[in-house]
Amino acid sequence: MGAWILECIEDKLGRDQFGALKCRSTAHALISMTHLWSCALDKGDSVRVLFINYTKAFDHVDHTILLNKLISLDVPHCLVKWMFSFLNGCRQRVKINNTFSNWITLKGGMPQGTLLGPLTFIILLDDLNPPCAVHKFVDDTTITEILSAQQTPSVIDVNVHYLVNWSRSNKMLINYTKTKEMILGNAKSNPPPTLLTEGKKVNKSPVSNY
C-alpha cells in the first residue's frame, strides 16, 4: 500500500523533503544546506539557522489530520480507506516485569517499522512551508535565514511564528530542549537578539562559535 500511495503523490511532494524518498538522502540534504550557507558566506552575508526537533514526532501523528491531507493530495478513496483501516482501532499496553497495564485504543500515533511510518509522516509535514529556506529529513526540520552584509534586521521571528502556528494546528509538539540555533558569518560578532519560541529561549549550537 505504501508504494501505491507514494506513486500517487511523489510528484506532488515538495523538493525540500529529503527523507524516506527514492534518490534522496541525508547526503543530499547536507549538500543542499551547506551550498546555501556557503554561497551566502562567500558574498559576505551571515546565516541564521534553526534546527527544529519535535517531541516523539511519530507518536503525535493525528489520524484525522493525516487522512485529510491524503484526501487533499487526491489519493484514491480506496487507499484512504485502507489507511483508515490500518490506523483505526490500534491498541497498546505497557508491561513492567510480569505486570501488564490495561489496553488502550489509540487516537493518534503512527506504527513504526514499516514503509507507511516515515511515508505518512512526510505527508503530514509536506505543507510546513515557512517564508524562508527549509530543509526536511522526515521529522527533522531546518530553517535558514540569510542576513545581508548591510546588517538587514533579522526577521526569523516571523518564520518561528509560522512554525509554532503550524505545529499547533497539526498537533505536533516542539521539543525546545533539542531545538537549537546556529549563527554563521559576521553576525557572530554582533548577534541578533536571543530567539524565543512561545516564551522559551532557544539555545545556540556550539558550532555558532566558529
Side-chain angles (χ1 to χ4, degrees):
M1 181 171 64
W4 194 358
I5 292 176
L6 181 58
E7 183 180 344
C8 294
I9 66 170
E10 192 168 14
D11 60 344
K12 301 175 184 177
L13 297 174
R15 299 299 298 176
D16 51 20
Q17 175 61 257
F18 293 87
L21 294 171
K22 183 172 58 177
C23 298
R24 301 190 210 180
S25 67
T26 51
H28 292 98
L30 290 171
I31 290 170
S32 180
M33 283 189 287
T34 54
H35 176 71
L36 174 66
W37 301 342
S38 297
C39 287
L41 295 174
D42 287 345
K43 293 190 297 182
D45 296 337
S46 297
V47 179
R48 193 174 191 184
V49 186
L50 186 63
F51 303 98
I52 300 104
N53 182 276
Y54 284 106
T55 299
K56 296 184 177 179
F58 281 80
D59 294 338
H60 286 98
V61 173
D62 183 278
H63 296 166
T64 301
I65 292 174
L66 174 60
L67 292 170
N68 284 332
K69 292 192 177 187
L70 287 171
I71 294 170
S72 70
L73 288 168
D74 295 324
V75 171
H77 186 60
C78 63
L79 293 180
V80 176
K81 290 179 66 176
W82 280 355
M83 180 62 73
F84 173 78
S85 178
F86 175 69
L87 297 173
N88 188 44
C90 289
R91 301 194 305 160
Q92 70 178 29
R93 64 177 178 173
V94 176
K95 176 185 177 184
I96 301 178
N97 296 324
N98 293 319
T99 302
F100 292 86
S101 69
N102 295 327
W103 286 102
I104 61 169
T105 300
L106 304 179
K107 296 181 180 179
M110 195 68 212
Q112 299 183 48
T114 69
L115 173 62
L116 284 176
L119 174 60
T120 50
F121 197 86
I122 65 174
I123 292 171
L124 181 72
L125 259 69
D126 187 59
D127 62 357
L128 172 57
N129 298 310
C132 65
V134 60
H135 293 80
K136 309 169 194 170
F137 192 88
V138 191
D139 59 319
D140 292 317
T141 302
T142 303
I143 63 174
T144 299
E145 179 188 43
I146 305 300
L147 300 174
S148 73
Q150 287 73 33
Q151 296 297 315
T152 302
S154 173
V155 293
I156 200 169
D157 287 344
V158 174
N159 303 310
V160 170
H161 181 71
Y162 170 94
L163 177 72
V164 169
N165 286 340
W166 183 94
S167 301
R168 285 175 178 169
S169 63
N170 286 273
K171 300 184 179 180
M172 300 298 295
L173 301 178
I174 299 174
N175 185 334
Y176 293 104
T177 302
K178 294 184 178 180
T179 294
K180 304 291 183 182
E181 178 189 10
M182 179 176 72
I183 298 176
L184 303 172
N186 295 328
K188 290 185 297 183
S189 59
N190 185 25
T194 298
L195 184 60
L196 299 176
T197 56
E198 298 186 286
K200 299 178 178 65
K201 179 181 176 181
V202 176
N203 293 321
K204 288 184 172 60
S205 166
V207 179
S208 296
N209 296 325
Y210 297 95

